[in-house]
């Protein structure tokens, strides 16, 4: 795998400091939201929608599409931990942190979340399932 920048900013010239070297602090921040706006694909399922809301909140973005790569949007290991914890809570499942590194888009992680939910439901006793259904209805 190659490291590819998440966004590009075209400049007429690079800002230089007094020593003639590139002044990194004077470089403009890329507007990732604008650059990726044309490839936005909205969530199609309730699972994708819930995960997109979690990602947007953690990453501080207005919206996240299902094909957007978590790491290209500025995600890193500490934010990945927050994402996984919130997904675990929202879906009441056990999900390993490594899944986000293997499936860094909403489209790719959603099937794993749905599978974990189904496994969780299948492992419930009948009384546990009734309790969950009652809690959902109240």
């Amino acid at each position: 795998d190659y490291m590819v920048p998440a966004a590009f900013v075209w400049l007429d010239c690079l800002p230089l400091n007094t020593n003639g070297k590139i002044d990194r602090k004077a470089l403009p921040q890329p507007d990732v939201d604008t650059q990726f706006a044309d490839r936005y694909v909205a969530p199609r399922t309730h699972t994708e929608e819930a995960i997109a809301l979690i990602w947007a909140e953690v990453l501080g973005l207005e919206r996240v599409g299902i094909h957007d790569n978590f790491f290209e949007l500025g995600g890193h290991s500490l934010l990945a931990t927050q994402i996984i914890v919130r997904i675990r809570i929202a879906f009441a499942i056990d999900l390993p942190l490594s899944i986000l590194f293997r499936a860094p888009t909403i489209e790719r992680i959603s099937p794993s979340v749905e599978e974990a939910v189904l496994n969780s439901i299948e492992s419930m006793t009948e009384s546990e399932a009734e309790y969950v259904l009652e809690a959902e209805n109240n």
Side-chain angles (χ1 to χ4, degrees), residues 18-31:
T18 54
N19 296 330
K21 295 184 177 183
I22 295 174
D23 186 354
R24 294 178 188 270
K25 292 179 183 173
L27 290 170
Q29 290 295 316
D31 185 0

Side-chain angles (χ1 to χ4, degrees), residues 62-76:
E62 188 173 315
R63 67 181 186 181
V64 178
I66 62 167
H67 298 298
D68 295 338
N69 184 297
F70 174 75
F71 299 101
E72 289 177 2
L73 294 175
H76 50 74

Side-chain angles (χ1 to χ4, degrees), residues 76-95:
H76 50 74
S77 58
L78 294 175
L79 292 178
T81 302
Q82 288 183 34
I83 294 284
I84 293 300
V85 167
R86 291 180 189 213
I87 289 174
R88 286 175 180 166
I89 293 168
F91 291 94
I93 58 172
D94 186 27
L95 198 66

Side-chain angles (χ1 to χ4, degrees), residues 7-26:
F8 293 91
V9 176
W10 301 107
L11 303 172
D12 292 329
C13 63
L14 293 172
L16 303 178
N17 62 23
T18 54
N19 296 330
K21 295 184 177 183
I22 295 174
D23 186 354
R24 294 178 188 270
K25 292 179 183 173

Side-chain angles (χ1 to χ4, degrees), residues 1-133:
D1 290 325
Y2 296 98
M3 299 269 306
V4 178
F8 293 91
V9 176
W10 301 107
L11 303 172
D12 292 329
C13 63
L14 293 172
L16 303 178
N17 62 23
T18 54
N19 296 330
K21 295 184 177 183
I22 295 174
D23 186 354
R24 294 178 188 270
K25 292 179 183 173
L27 290 170
Q29 290 295 316
D31 185 0
V32 176
D33 288 339
T34 301
Q35 290 193 19
F36 293 126
D38 61 330
R39 67 177 212 183
Y40 172 78
V41 177
R44 304 161 296 192
T45 66
H46 292 298
T47 302
E48 289 178 350
E49 190 174 306
I51 296 169
L53 289 172
I54 291 169
W55 284 26
E57 187 176 299
V58 170
L59 293 168
L61 299 172
E62 188 173 315
R63 67 181 186 181
V64 178
I66 62 167
H67 298 298
D68 295 338
N69 184 297
F70 174 75
F71 299 101
E72 289 177 2
L73 294 175
H76 50 74
S77 58
L78 294 175
L79 292 178
T81 302
Q82 288 183 34
I83 294 284
I84 293 300
V85 167
R86 291 180 189 213
I87 289 174
R88 286 175 180 166
I89 293 168
F91 291 94
I93 58 172
D94 186 27
L95 198 66
L97 176 61
S98 61
I99 191 72
L100 191 54
F101 292 89
R102 291 191 314 268
T105 67
I106 292 169
E107 180 180 50
R108 289 180 57 201
I109 198 172
S110 288
S112 297
V113 171
E114 290 170 351
E115 182 180 337
V117 169
L118 287 175
N119 288 339
S120 175
I121 291 169
E122 289 173 355
S123 68
M124 285 183 184
T125 64
E126 191 172 327
S127 60
E128 288 172 329
E130 287 173 6
Y131 176 79
V132 170
L133 287 174

